[in-house]
Amino acid sequence: MSSPTKQPASAASAGPRRSLSARLRPLAAAGTVWYLRLIALLNLVAVVAAPFRQTVRHHSEGQFFTPYLATAGLAAAVLSLFLAVAMRRRKRAAWIFNCGLGGLTFLTYVLALGVPGADHYNRHAFNYFSAVLTGLFMLCLVVGRKEFTSKGDRSNPWMAAATFVGGLLLGGLVGSLLVDANNSLSGAGFGDRFGYALARMITVTPSERVMDVIDVPNWVNAFINAMGAVLFLLVLYVAFRSPRGKELLTPEDETRLRELLAKQGERDSLGYFATRRDKAVIFSPSGKAAVTYRVVGGVSLASGDPIGDPEAWPGAIELWLAEAREHAWAPAVTGASEEAGMIYARHGLDALELGDEAIVELDEFSMEGRAMRVVRQAYNRVKRAGYTVRIRRHEDIPEQEMVELLNRADHWRDGQTERGFSMALGRLGDPADGRCVMLECHDGDGELRALLSFVPWGEKGLSLDLMRRDRESENGLVEFMVIELLEKGRKELQLERVSLNFAMFRSVFERGSRLGAGPVLRLWRSILGFFSRWWQIESLYRANAKYRPIWEPRYLLFEKSSELPRIGIANARAEGFITAPSLPALFRRRHRRPAVPSAPPPAPAAEGDGKG
């Protein structure tokens, strides 16, 4: 029997050393975050508690010094808090900033303790405590350095400097105008007033040289101080912000996505919405799956299920998560199915049920029976009024007619913002979407009164994309059009299923109205009913329930519960419910994602695949 091969001592010991280092790195990185959180808390306590503030200030004056960033000031508290957030997101820029400022602080403390003297820094035990605590923070930075890999925008330092200079100039100008309007003394020139405002913004205490010519009310000083605080926060935000992520679908990306949809488009009713051109895409190494997403407010927001072969989904998900962590984006998925949610969960994401998607199987839909009596009556009422519906593929609509339909759709749109992200295409009438289906509703005089547009869901399904109608038309036109599609779609378009609207929190409304519902569920239903006055929450559920659909749950997926408010705002922005101001195009930067070498070239598109 041969004896096992022995490894060299150096090689044998390298493994344990690497494993120990790998275990210590996350702990050290977490230690820096908790240190900064603790310092931020102590600074805040010192701001509001006068005795503690006096103690801290006593230990930071004369022959004393305090640990890194512990100054009993509001500015230091804000800086510590910002740095803690940036370090928790593993931003490299924050690590470099702490290394520079913390290293200089620690070096100063060591030199101060080394200076001899009868009554000097080395005579006070608290200084040793401050130096040791600062040194431990620096040690954690060094040990955990490989954990901080998230990249910032390359323009951040220059933008932060420009923001600081521009903010100072603007604040100094505004402050000088306020001083000029409220000064009770005479003899102050523009330079004196401008310098006074700058000093109030930066140091809080103005120069004694101008005290003989400037005397203003306290509210003026408070306002100038507040401008300085806002400027400080803005500079911090610009310095540590994540890259914007402005990549959009290229024609090649869209071609590859359509090829995947041609093979696997039956799986997800939201699959076609992945071709939105305001999204970016990451393909799996095999090229058989893809995740589409958009970066909004530092959130990498994917929508629906990954496209393509489920066996290749993990490869695309891993690359998407790796890119999100590389740029300190919070990964999130909106509108994922249960199947995709389980796969995302294996990669560390948690799930929260958003609501349900209404899917109608055409072979099971019927207008007969007592349960459909109200729907049947409404349908017959609209039909007796002379309304008719025409169903056509987009590719069958002449160009001039399509232009007229687009004009009507824009005219009927509610507001200037085109809403939708996860369940809307956002490009009605595009020549590439010839397989989409248009429903046109005309009144008895032949006047167009409403439009519905559906995107393909595989070969035998449709998913609702756009819904517009004339506000002065007959009530119930949309229901009339949907029923016409459900009754005629099987024969005219060879359809088997249709996906209608998404009903958020449907289960709350359904279970909350049942006999025996608990007080918490009833309260939650009442709250949602209250907000339904402004947002169509309950009304969407009621509108879909009348068709007696199959309800398919959809989920919001996220990595950390603390990121949920941020993800919720990003989702609302993506869907068009919140419009945030943006910088001019001149200042926008795009990061470039390196190509995946192992991804094969896209296969040629199959002819006659039925996709536009």
Side-chain angles (χ1 to χ4, degrees):
M1 181 180 295
S2 60
S3 60
T5 304
K6 293 184 178 181
Q7 295 180 346
S10 58
S13 59
R17 282 202 301 270
R18 284 196 299 268
S19 62
L20 178 61
S21 174
R23 290 196 301 268
L24 289 178
R25 283 200 302 266
L27 296 176
T32 62
V33 175
W34 282 105
Y35 173 86
L36 292 170
R37 287 174 175 172
L38 178 61
I39 292 298
L41 178 61
L42 292 177
N43 284 328
L44 286 176
V45 172
V47 169
V48 299
F52 185 64
R53 179 169 64 251
Q54 294 301 327
T55 301
V56 174
R57 287 181 175 175
H58 171 70
H59 284 83
S60 59
E61 296 176 353
Q63 303 302 315
F64 293 91
F65 50 76
T66 53
Y68 173 60
L69 290 182
T71 64
L74 184 59
V78 173
L79 177 60
S80 303
L81 191 59
F82 259 86
L83 289 175
V85 173
M87 295 288 280
R88 185 176 64 85
R89 295 175 184 171
R90 300 298 186 258
K91 293 190 176 183
R92 189 71 177 175
W95 182 86
I96 294 173
F97 180 89
N98 277 304
C99 282
L101 183 60
L104 182 61
T105 302
F106 181 63
L107 179 61
T108 302
Y109 289 175
V110 172
L111 293 177
L113 291 174
V115 175
D119 186 21
H120 218 269
Y121 296 102
N122 55 9
R123 299 294 182 179
H124 305 286
F126 186 82
N127 291 345
Y128 289 94
F129 169 78
S130 298
V132 169
L133 197 59
T134 304
L136 288 176
F137 176 75
M138 293 304 302
L139 179 63
C140 288
L141 284 177
V142 174
V143 174
R145 65 189 183 281
K146 292 185 179 180
E147 292 290 309
F148 300 93
T149 58
S150 298
K151 299 178 180 178
D153 197 310
R154 292 183 179 180
S155 65
N156 283 358
W158 297 107
M159 285 296 298
T163 301
F164 179 71
V165 174
L168 278 182
L169 294 177
L170 179 61
L173 180 60
V174 173
S176 64
L177 293 176
L178 286 175
V179 171
D180 183 48
N182 297 276
N183 191 10
S184 60
L185 302 178
S186 59
F190 175 77
D192 295 327
R193 298 192 302 270
F194 189 80
Y196 179 88
L198 289 183
R200 278 286 177 185
M201 289 181 66
I202 298 176
T203 66
V204 180
T205 304
S207 172
E208 294 183 358
R209 184 180 61 82
V210 298
M211 298 302 293
D212 296 334
V213 292
I214 294 178
D215 184 21
V216 294
N218 289 332
W219 71 266
V220 175
N221 293 329
F223 185 84
I224 297 175
N225 294 156
M227 286 196 299
V230 171
L231 175 61
F232 182 61
L233 292 174
L234 188 59
V235 170
L236 285 178
Y237 167 75
V238 174
F240 296 112
R241 64 178 179 170
S242 300
R244 297 303 179 98
K246 292 294 182 179
E247 282 84 4
L248 304 179
L249 279 186
T250 65
E252 294 78 10
D253 292 335
E254 186 174 340
T255 299
R256 295 180 66 184
L257 282 175
R258 290 180 181 273
E259 292 168 5
L260 295 178
L261 289 171
K263 299 175 183 177
Q264 302 283 345
E266 303 278 348
R267 304 194 65 89
D268 186 15
S269 61
L270 309 185
Y272 197 85
F273 298 124
T275 63
R276 282 182 64 111
R277 290 163 189 159
D278 57 356
K279 294 181 179 181
V281 61
I282 286 183
F283 290 91
S284 65
S286 65
K288 295 181 179 180
V291 172
T292 58
Y293 66 98
R294 187 200 299 176
V295 179
V296 184
V299 176
S300 182
L301 188 63
S303 59
D305 295 355
I307 307 301
D309 187 352
E311 293 186 359
W313 286 1
I317 293 172
E318 289 170 3
L319 292 178
W320 169 66
L321 290 174
E323 184 188 54
R325 288 161 185 153
E326 180 184 6
H327 296 94
W329 295 330
V333 186
T334 179
S337 69
E338 186 172 2
E339 179 185 9
M342 294 178 65
I343 297 180
Y344 276 111
R346 297 172 192 165
H347 290 79
L349 300 189
D350 203 352
L352 180 66
E353 185 173 347
L354 278 178
D356 297 86
E357 177 188 11
I359 298 176
V360 180
E361 297 285 347
L362 269 62
D363 58 353
E364 298 178 2
F365 177 77
S366 174
M367 291 282 286
E368 303 299 327
R370 183 175 180 82
M372 298 295 290
R373 185 167 63 92
V374 176
V375 177
R376 189 167 56 248
Q377 290 175 348
Y379 171 81
N380 291 331
R381 174 178 54 81
V382 175
K383 190 172 185 179
R384 284 194 301 269
Y387 286 87
T388 57
V389 175
R390 178 163 56 174
I391 304 174
R392 292 185 288 178
R393 297 277 183 184
H394 284 202
E395 60 191 7
D396 297 329
I397 302 176
E399 183 178 353
Q400 190 58 40
E401 288 188 36
M402 181 62 78
V403 172
E404 178 62 24
L405 295 177
L406 293 178
N407 291 335
R408 291 294 188 92
D410 289 338
H411 179 69
W412 293 334
R413 183 170 61 196
D414 184 14
Q416 297 299 316
T417 302
E418 188 75 61
R419 292 179 177 175
F421 170 67
S422 58
M423 301 179 185
L425 196 58
R427 55 169 193 262
L428 182 65
D430 192 285
D433 304 317
R435 297 299 294 169
C436 292
V437 172
M438 182 79 76
L439 272 68
E440 308 156 50
C441 185
H442 297 81
D443 61 16
D445 297 327
E447 184 71 17
L448 183 65
R449 292 296 186 180
L451 290 174
L452 294 181
S453 182
F454 292 79
V455 300
W457 173 11
E459 291 289 340
K460 298 182 179 181
L462 294 178
S463 186
L464 180 62
D465 170 34
L466 179 135
M467 184 169 50
R468 301 277 166 81
R469 74 175 184 90
D470 187 350
R471 299 295 176 181
E472 299 179 358
S473 62
E474 187 87 12
N475 287 331
L477 285 192
V478 173
E479 291 82 356
F480 174 72
M481 298 170 71
V482 170
I483 293 173
E484 284 282 287
L485 175 64
L486 297 179
E487 290 197 327
K488 299 178 180 179
R490 189 172 183 86
K491 180 179 179 181
E492 296 185 11
L493 300 173
Q494 292 75 50
L495 297 179
E496 293 182 356
R497 58 194 180 278
V498 174
S499 171
L500 300 176
N501 278 315
F502 171 75
M504 184 171 288
F505 305 118
R506 178 201 67 88
S507 59
V508 175
F509 292 109
E510 181 177 321
R511 296 200 302 266
S513 61
R514 293 177 182 173
L515 182 66
V520 176
L521 188 58
R522 290 200 302 269
L523 175 62
W524 182 220
R525 182 178 182 274
S526 300
I527 293 174
L528 292 177
F530 173 77
F531 284 106
S532 292
R533 299 177 183 179
W534 297 275
W535 297 297
Q536 296 179 348
I537 302 176
E538 186 173 7
S539 59
L540 276 178
Y541 159 61
R542 301 296 180 192
N544 288 303
K546 65 181 66 174
Y547 306 111
R548 306 181 69 81
I550 299 171
W551 296 105
E552 292 290 341
R554 291 282 175 174
Y555 298 89
L556 174 69
L557 303 170
F558 54 93
E559 192 171 40
K560 298 176 182 177
S561 299
S562 59
E563 301 283 2
L564 278 176
R566 184 180 175 201
I567 292 171
I569 294 174
N571 204 354
R573 288 178 57 186
E575 296 288 353
F577 294 104
I578 298 176
T579 303
S582 59
L583 292 174
L586 177 64
F587 298 102
R588 296 176 186 166
R589 291 296 186 96
R590 295 167 59 128
H591 79 271
R592 302 189 64 85
R593 182 172 59 250
V596 180
S598 56
E607 297 182 2
D609 58 2
K611 296 290 180 289

